[in-house]
Amino acid sequence: MSKKEDHVVNKVETTGYEWDGIKELNNPLPRWWLYVFYTTILFAICYAVYYPAIPLIERNTEGLSNYSSRKELENEMAAVKSSHATMLELIKTMDVSDIQSDPKLARFAAAGGASNFKVYCSQCHGSGAQGGVGYPNLNDDDWLWGGSINQIETTIRHGIRYEADEDTRYSEMPAFGRDQILSEEQIIAVANYVCSLSGLEHEESVIALGAMVFTENCSSCHGDDGKGINEVGAPNLADKLWLYDKSKKAILSQIINPQHGIMPAWGNRLGDIIVKELAVYVHGLGGGE
Amino acid sequence: MNNIGIKDIEQFDAEPVNRYDKQQPLYVSRKKIYPKRINGIFRRFKWIVMLITLSIYYVTPWLRWDRGEFSPNQAVLVDLYHRRFYFFWIEIWPQEFYYIASLLIMAALGLFMVTSSIGRAWCGYTCPQTVWVDLFLLIERFIEGDRNKRMRLDKEAISPTKIVKKISKHIVWLLIAVATGGAWILYFADAPTLLLKVLNGSASIVAYGTIAVLTFTTYSLGGLMREQVCTYMCPWPRIQAAMLDENSLTVTYNNWRGEPRSRHSKIHKPISASDNIPVSRGDCVDCNACVAVCPMGIDIRDGQQLECITCALCIDACDKVMEKLGKPKGLISYSTLANYKQNMKLAFDNINSELVHEHKEILKPKFKHTTISTILQQPRTIIYFAIWVLIGFTMLIMLTTRSHLKINVLHDRNPVSVRLSDGSIRNGYTVKILNMIPKHRTFTLTVNDFIDGEIIMPQKKNDRFHKISLNVKPDSLLAQRLFIIANPKRNKVVERKFRFQIQDNTSSESAEYTATFSYR
């Protein structure tokens, strides 16, 4: 320890150390700074007493304020819920088509629908409802079971081919190949005919046979013109959109051994309000009829 | 005039509170300063500046400006809730905040320019701290009297008159502080309405909180802490050291003519050990008037100091004394360090007033006096001014030619595009139209550079348009969702650019946005 000395110029005591001729003045802290420092200490003590702060073995001290962020969240959630109560009550009592014609209510329902869609529907239909192979795109104007808002609501409420729900939408396409309903020649012909309906590449020579097979076996569900029938969930074969694949191979495979999509019934699980909100949201994506 | 001798000049028993060579230990409590009242041209100038700045502050929120029925009619209003800033005929939206930013840059540059040329004029005349301290001192002087009376009052034992004086002073200070805080909040809402609300207790907690905070700061900074704010708290005096040079104006004690100071008409004092020539006294009569009037509690004769805010009251005080003595004014004067050094050198051989004076009332012509034109001719001042004018001019041009109509388009991202059953491609957009004037306007929206692109409105899906008409409310934003539908491309084009254009149906004002259409 070197000697503490007064600095020549300022007559201020130095710390007593020297680094390559550089000495440090031992000026005291500014008083205002010191008081602010003491105040922060005082504040910290008050804070620790008032709020939960000190960790103990089991849990932390409660604090005088009895505050917890969990409680705060609960309160805030309750406040939000109560502020939504009147709107939700309206949605519960009104028909979806009436909800939709009220702009304010429709906006509220669509917002609720959007967030519920992300939770319950996006796994299959995609986060933007753009669908995928085997899962319908809900933005477009092609609907298997109908695109009016009431039809959409029914689909969400009861699902499709969902056995646990008695009112579920149900239809099944016969396995024309697997069950040997049609011969191989007939199947190839009708596949070519289906391709021709939407202008896909096809063999002209078998079209006449294909048309005949279609009228006899397919038109009862898909319609005489192949434009599909919503009541039985039979897809429109004459448009440019395909649930699975537009290649001839995929069409053939669908005729021989058809795939059927399943959608859960959400009515019991999510309740009336959320189902209606989802219907409004899905209908508003751009394809609703 | 010549009859007045040195003995007739009152000498003040004033010690500078802040003095470099007698620095107090840092924990010694503050010594109170009792600035004496002085009259003179700088004091008069300060009164005028104070009147102007305070009027601007207190009166501005009450000025009205008619903007029609859809916008507030307050001339200067920072409408945080609606995100608008009004300044007389100018209305600024948040996305035009760069005007404010450039205004702040101009303010900073202006401050640099002023500081580098005329020194700490901001500190001495216009800084709110200086102005409010001046106002508080005015009150103090009015209630408690001038310097000597105040000093006596503070030393006195407690008496009813003392209590009455002290309490009434603090009440008036607090009233001013409340008015200061109260005026501040009026800039953020309609002044008459808000004032009424504040008075009947229905204003928001933020309003009362702001008033309370500003009352506290005004009262404590302006009334209680005063010069300590400048000396200890304000960073600006430190920064200024970097901005002043030897050509900047500072308040200077011209010791080349003042020294040796004396209360006696003749002194016999050796200048150095080697020459024992008797010299006559300098111009300074050591009356301490400059110390007594100083609101910062310094002695300007100690030279340049951080504490000096260049309020020039010591100049007024000294000039008065010089006038009485029939000597040339400007013993303490605004001067540059360069001039001071030259004069010092001229008078250096031995500082002797006989060498400095031509005769009693006139200094020898060789001494330089700083004039404002030499200051303004400094290259640094000119460069600062040029940049300042450039920014100001650019802003002015931008402001006068700016558009009151803007369009922004958000392209749907998920999904980017949708294929429809007839094979066509649909893209969704949110078109945002900003009608930045307080009038209803109708716009025509068209799609340009996109021959087969057609507009579909979400409400009427079966109709396709080439142009649509949109009504936008006054001074607001319309967010309109719509679809563009187009035929698919056979080749592998994945996207194309096109333009949304909006045109005001009544005026020719229009705006465009280049958007992308995706075929993916």
Side-chain angles (χ1 to χ4, degrees):
Chain A
M1 181 88 186
S2 61
K3 209 178 110 233
K4 286 192 177 185
E5 55 179 319
D6 282 351
H7 192 263
V8 190
V9 182
N10 296 42
K11 290 179 184 159
V12 176
E13 188 183 74
T14 67
T15 51
Y17 295 97
E18 188 177 330
W19 298 270
D20 295 339
I22 300 170
K23 296 171 192 170
E24 192 190 355
L25 297 181
N26 197 14
N27 275 320
L29 293 164
R31 207 149 45 137
W32 65 267
W33 193 96
L34 198 70
Y35 287 166
V36 171
F37 178 62
Y38 289 149
T39 314
T40 55
I41 292 174
L42 196 70
F43 178 83
I45 293 168
C46 298
Y47 188 94
V49 172
Y50 189 70
Y51 283 110
I54 304 159
L56 304 174
I57 294 165
E58 284 285 309
R59 47 174 311 165
N60 54 310
T61 53
E62 293 273 332
L64 292 175
S65 65
N66 206 17
Y67 170 88
S68 88
S69 48
R70 202 176 286 265
K71 226 177 283 168
E72 194 180 11
L73 177 73
E74 273 167 18
N75 291 341
E76 280 174 17
M77 294 296 281
V80 170
K81 268 200 184 127
S82 69
S83 75
H84 288 175
T86 44
M87 289 292 232
L88 292 175
E89 191 56 36
L90 279 175
I91 290 175
K92 198 170 183 175
T93 50
M94 281 165 76
D95 185 74
V96 265
S97 51
D98 296 335
I99 293 171
Q100 203 187 24
S101 51
D102 177 348
K104 203 180 160 198
L105 204 54
R107 215 165 36 240
F108 178 85
S115 64
N116 281 299
F117 188 90
K118 297 275 189 297
V119 179
Y120 301 108
C121 315
S122 63
Q123 291 83 346
C124 292
H125 288 287
S127 62
Q130 74 274 39
V133 176
Y135 301 101
N137 183 345
L138 306 176
N139 291 282
D140 63 28
D141 59 345
D142 193 14
W143 298 91
L144 294 170
W145 297 91
S148 78
I149 188 149
N150 292 94
Q151 285 169 317
I152 292 172
E153 188 205 357
T154 308
T155 304
I156 296 169
R157 193 182 294 279
H158 299 295
I160 293 161
R161 301 184 191 94
Y162 192 66
E163 285 168 10
D165 189 298
E166 279 180 13
D167 298 322
T168 194
R169 295 190 183 276
Y170 196 88
S171 71
E172 198 173 327
M173 175 168 162
F176 288 100
R178 194 185 64 206
D179 296 342
Q180 297 181 345
I181 299 167
L182 294 175
S183 72
E184 193 180 332
E185 193 194 0
Q186 285 173 313
I187 288 171
I188 291 171
V190 81
N192 274 291
Y193 176 73
V194 167
C195 286
S196 76
L197 287 176
S198 56
L200 293 171
E201 211 176 288
H202 58 273
E203 277 179 46
E204 208 60 55
S205 56
V206 295
I207 290 300
L209 175 61
M212 209 176 71
V213 174
F214 189 88
T215 315
E216 284 171 7
N217 297 283
C218 315
S219 60
S220 55
C221 290
H222 288 286
D224 290 336
D225 49 5
K227 284 189 174 166
I229 295 172
N230 281 342
E231 282 71 30
V232 291
N236 184 344
L237 303 174
D239 67 14
K240 310 270 184 183
L241 299 176
W242 296 87
L243 180 58
Y244 294 102
D245 189 1
K246 63 179 176 183
S247 72
K248 203 181 286 175
K249 198 181 152 201
I251 293 168
L252 274 172
S253 127
Q254 189 65 15
I255 299 169
I256 293 164
N257 188 16
Q259 287 177 274
H260 295 99
I262 294 174
M263 173 173 152
W266 295 101
N268 285 335
R269 199 169 146 194
L270 300 181
D272 197 36
I273 293 172
I274 296 180
V275 166
K276 283 177 178 171
E277 286 181 347
L278 282 169
V280 173
Y281 170 68
V282 169
H283 188 265
L285 286 170
E289 288 161 0
Chain B
M1 216 158 47
N2 289 348
N3 305 339
I4 295 172
I6 293 165
K7 293 279 179 292
D8 301 318
I9 303 294
E10 183 194 358
Q11 190 184 26
F12 294 95
D13 179 24
E15 274 279 301
V17 168
N18 296 309
R19 189 167 208 168
Y20 189 71
D21 58 357
K22 287 201 292 191
Q23 250 180 357
Q24 305 287 341
L26 288 169
Y27 282 156
V28 166
S29 42
R30 172 203 184 209
K31 268 194 204 158
K32 202 171 172 188
I33 298 170
Y34 301 89
K36 187 181 147 50
R37 189 193 159 100
I38 187 73
N39 292 317
I41 51 166
F42 289 107
R43 180 65 267 182
R44 215 170 309 134
F45 180 61
K46 270 169 76 79
W47 289 135
I48 294 167
V49 172
M50 181 176 161
L51 191 72
I52 294 170
T53 47
L54 287 179
S55 322
I56 290 174
Y57 180 73
Y58 290 112
V59 174
T60 306
W62 298 98
L63 300 177
R64 304 285 103 181
W65 191 267
D66 184 25
R67 295 191 185 86
E69 54 180 316
F70 301 110
S71 281
N73 65 347
Q74 187 159 322
V76 178
L77 179 66
V78 183
D79 193 345
L80 292 178
Y81 184 77
H82 298 103
R83 313 278 193 281
R84 298 283 185 277
F85 172 63
Y86 301 95
F87 184 83
F88 295 94
W89 63 96
I90 303 169
E91 179 187 340
I92 287 183
W93 283 40
Q95 55 266 59
E96 296 175 304
F97 193 77
Y98 50 83
Y99 287 116
I100 314 274
S102 353
L103 214 60
L104 292 175
I105 292 171
M106 280 180 76
L109 272 176
L111 202 54
F112 299 163
M113 177 174 77
V114 166
T115 306
S116 74
S117 54
I118 57 172
R120 292 176 64 174
W122 166 260
C123 294
Y125 301 95
T126 44
C127 175
Q129 174 68 18
T130 301
V131 171
W132 260 272
V133 166
D134 247 6
L135 182 63
F136 278 38
L137 268 173
L138 188 72
I139 307 295
E140 189 171 270
R141 236 178 245 132
F142 182 75
I143 294 173
E144 297 183 2
D146 206 3
R147 179 182 157 87
N148 293 340
K149 279 190 181 170
R150 295 210 299 277
M151 290 169 87
R152 225 176 300 133
L153 186 74
D154 278 2
K155 275 187 196 131
E156 257 172 36
I158 290 181
S159 67
T161 38
K162 182 170 175 174
I163 292 172
V164 168
K165 275 183 179 174
K166 288 284 172 192
I167 287 179
S168 49
K169 177 181 84 175
H170 285 279
I171 286 174
V172 177
W173 279 2
L174 275 169
L175 286 176
I176 293 174
V178 171
T180 307
W184 177 260
I185 63 164
L186 298 182
Y187 284 85
F188 296 87
D190 184 55
T193 324
L194 183 61
L195 187 66
L196 208 68
K197 273 183 164 183
V198 167
L199 292 179
N200 70 17
S202 64
S204 72
I205 192 83
V206 180
Y208 292 114
T210 310
I211 296 177
V213 168
L214 287 176
T215 303
F216 171 74
T217 51
T218 311
Y219 174 73
S220 58
L221 298 189
L224 307 178
M225 293 164 80
R226 292 190 186 167
E227 82 286 346
Q228 295 177 102
V229 175
C230 312
T231 316
Y232 300 114
M233 291 164 69
C234 182
W236 188 226
R238 279 92 185 153
I239 298 169
Q240 271 173 130
M243 240 163 265
L244 294 170
D245 61 15
E246 70 277 11
N247 293 312
S248 313
L249 271 190
T250 55
V251 173
T252 309
Y253 167 62
N254 294 307
N255 55 358
W256 47 268
R257 58 170 276 213
E259 297 298 314
R261 65 182 86 143
S262 169
R263 294 285 298 162
H264 312 287
S265 46
K266 285 262 193 266
I267 54 164
H268 297 274
K269 184 175 149 198
I271 290 295
S272 69
S274 57
D275 62 7
N276 266 338
I277 319 162
V279 289
S280 57
R281 45 175 304 286
D283 284 347
C284 177
V285 293
D286 208 10
C287 65
N288 282 337
C290 53
V291 181
V293 297
C294 181
M296 303 298 294
I298 56 168
D299 185 344
I300 191 66
R301 295 171 297 176
D302 294 340
Q304 269 306 296
Q305 292 150 81
L306 176 137
E307 288 87 352
C308 177
I309 57 167
T310 73
C311 65
L313 294 182
C314 52
I315 300 183
D316 279 345
C318 192
D319 279 353
K320 270 232 156 74
V321 175
M322 290 298 116
E323 203 175 8
K324 271 188 198 160
L325 291 169
K327 294 198 174 191
K329 286 182 181 180
L331 175 56
I332 301 172
S333 70
Y334 265 116
S335 171
T336 66
L337 196 61
N339 281 158
Y340 168 76
K341 276 183 179 160
Q342 281 173 342
N343 291 339
M344 202 59 185
K345 207 169 176 194
L346 287 170
F348 184 68
D349 291 337
N350 42 12
I351 296 173
N352 187 327
S353 64
E354 273 168 11
L355 293 176
V356 211
H357 288 90
E358 190 88 353
H359 57 85
K360 199 185 172 197
E361 286 179 44
I362 298 172
L363 293 172
K364 288 195 171 164
K366 62 181 176 179
F367 291 103
K368 303 254 177 192
H369 297 282
T370 311
T371 58
I372 203 73
S373 65
T374 57
I375 296 297
L376 297 181
Q377 281 160 20
Q378 292 300 319
R380 197 153 79 141
T381 315
I382 294 167
I383 290 166
Y384 273 134
F385 186 67
I387 300 172
W388 189 78
V389 167
L390 191 73
I391 295 174
F393 203 62
T394 315
M395 283 235 318
L396 205 65
I397 290 174
M398 281 171 72
L399 194 69
T400 45
T401 58
R402 72 181 172 152
S403 168
H404 294 286
L405 174 62
K406 283 194 174 69
I407 176 173
N408 292 313
V409 178
L410 297 177
H411 190 179
D412 280 6
R413 289 176 153 232
N414 189 13
V416 174
S417 73
V418 172
R419 178 182 282 269
L420 298 181
S421 56
D422 63 355
S424 57
I425 306 288
R426 191 189 75 196
N427 280 207
Y429 300 89
T430 305
V431 176
K432 294 186 171 181
I433 299 172
L434 282 67
N435 174 17
M436 299 167 90
I437 56 171
K439 277 180 196 154
H440 277 288
R441 286 209 276 182
T442 308
F443 299 102
T444 304
L445 178 84
T446 47
V447 173
N448 294 351
D449 298 344
F450 198 178
I451 293 165
D452 63 336
E454 289 173 311
I455 303 168
I456 295 183
M457 302 299 282
Q459 302 85 6
K460 307 182 251 180
K461 292 217 184 63
N462 298 324
D463 300 330
R464 299 184 175 194
F465 307 96
H466 286 285
K467 58 179 174 187
I468 53 170
S469 187
L470 294 167
N471 294 315
V472 188
K473 285 182 195 151
D475 194 45
S476 58
L477 177 149
L478 173 78
Q480 175 67 50
R481 196 171 145 69
L482 50 82
F483 300 108
I484 301 289
I485 194 162
N487 298 323
K489 287 269 189 257
R490 293 230 176 270
N491 45 15
K492 287 183 177 168
V493 177
V494 292
E495 61 180 40
R496 66 170 297 158
K497 299 258 182 223
F498 68 101
R499 289 176 297 128
F500 280 106
Q501 192 193 33
I502 43 166
Q503 173 119 31
D504 188 332
N505 286 358
T506 48
S507 78
S508 60
E509 200 171 9
S510 72
E512 274 191 348
Y513 190 93
T514 304
T516 308
F517 186 88
S518 173
Y519 291 103
R520 251 178 288 229

